[in-house]
Amino acid sequence: MSQIFTNNAVTVLASAKAAGATTLVVQAGTGARFPTLAAGDFFTLTLFKIVDGLEAAYEIVKVTARSIDTFTIVGRSEDTRLNSSHNSNL
């Protein structure tokens, strides 16, 4: 199992992330900005919520698979958690 890295990949969620979600869908066409994963590989992703132009909360998730613009995730990595369903920047 290897952690894969990419620099400066940014997108926006296509829809709100529900509490306990195991997948995220990002804005159409932007998934390719993120690494392609082989079996057992992963990358981490930071979700953050913007309120009044300021970062109000964040959550680090582990992405274990990517299919075009859909990411399979394990949430609450590194003991982080957003408080509720949210639209986020990545």
Side-chain angles (χ1 to χ4, degrees):
M1 179 179 282
S2 297
Q3 183 170 5
I4 307 300
F5 297 90
T6 194
N7 291 321
N8 304 317
V10 177
T11 189
V12 176
L13 295 180
S15 59
K17 175 188 171 283
T22 58
T23 61
L24 296 175
V25 179
V26 297
Q27 188 174 33
T30 62
R33 298 175 184 172
F34 296 85
T36 299
L37 299 173
D41 289 348
F42 71 95
F43 63 89
T44 56
L45 188 69
T46 303
L47 308 174
F48 60 94
K49 183 175 185 175
I50 301 294
V51 176
D52 296 329
L54 300 172
E55 185 179 318
Y58 68 95
E59 178 179 3
I60 299 170
V61 298
K62 181 187 283 186
V63 179
T64 58
R66 180 178 68 80
S67 177
I68 307 173
D69 297 323
T70 301
F71 300 163
T72 302
I73 64 165
V74 177
R76 299 181 69 177
S77 294
E78 301 182 30
D79 200 29
T80 62
R81 175 176 60 123
L82 285 165
N83 295 328
S84 61
S85 297
H86 54 280
N87 289 319
S88 298
N89 297 314
L90 307 177

